[in-house]
Amino acid sequence: QVQLVESGGGLVQAGDSLRLSCAASGRSFDDYSMAWFCQAPGRDREFVAGISWSPGITYSTASVEGRFTVSRDNAKNTVYLQMNSLKPEDTAVYYCAAKKLILDFTTDGYDYWGQGTQVTVSS
């Protein structure tokens, strides 16, 4: 059974850092692009950052550029989201997703999703 399991969320203060992890199991994800999405209450799920399957090119939205960094360790089948200088507006549930080959900035076409991890940033 294929699973994506996120961890690392929590309650922090503005300016703090968190590192989210997404551990994949059940198959190899070497040929999958991996992405992080977030969903705040009353809002659609939105792309935050992603990393292509090869050669590992990273993408992120303007709102997190320079603060969040996505990376992957294929040997560990794990993707990370390093979140620095957190702001209250970053508060959301963060989801990890996997898509065969091509990264997508929308939620369409992702093959696997994690259950989400809550990030809450207080002011």
Side-chain angles (χ1 to χ4, degrees), residues 4 6 22 32-38 46-52 59 70-72 79-81 94-99 102-107 110 112-114:
L4 299 179
E6 302 98 332
C22 172
Y32 277 70
S33 290
M34 305 295 292
W36 289 95
F37 289 79
C38 71
E46 301 174 339
F47 178 86
V48 176
I51 184 165
S52 66
Y59 303 84
V70 60
S71 61
R72 65 191 299 165
V79 178
Y80 305 97
L81 184 67
Y94 284 74
Y95 297 89
C96 172
K99 186 174 185 291
I102 306 298
L103 187 69
D104 196 322
F105 298 151
T106 74
T107 58
Y110 278 85
Y112 305 105
W113 289 88

Side-chain angles (χ1 to χ4, degrees), residues 25-111:
S25 62
R27 61 155 295 139
S28 170
F29 283 83
D30 290 3
D31 56 349
Y32 277 70
S33 290
M34 305 295 292
W36 289 95
F37 289 79
C38 71
Q39 188 167 21
R43 300 189 63 172
D44 292 336
R45 196 167 296 187
E46 301 174 339
F47 178 86
V48 176
I51 184 165
S52 66
W53 72 282
S54 181
I57 297 174
T58 61
Y59 303 84
S60 59
T61 61
S63 62
V64 306
E65 185 72 31
R67 299 189 299 123
F68 292 8
T69 302
V70 60
S71 61
R72 65 191 299 165
D73 185 337
N74 286 343
K76 296 182 177 180
N77 242 12
T78 301
V79 178
Y80 305 97
L81 184 67
Q82 179 66 44
M83 311 167 74
N84 297 330
S85 302
L86 281 159
K87 304 176 181 180
E89 51 263 43
D90 295 321
T91 295
V93 178
Y94 284 74
Y95 297 89
C96 172
K99 186 174 185 291
K100 184 78 170 179
L101 297 180
I102 306 298
L103 187 69
D104 196 322
F105 298 151
T106 74
T107 58
D108 297 339
Y110 278 85
D111 302 282

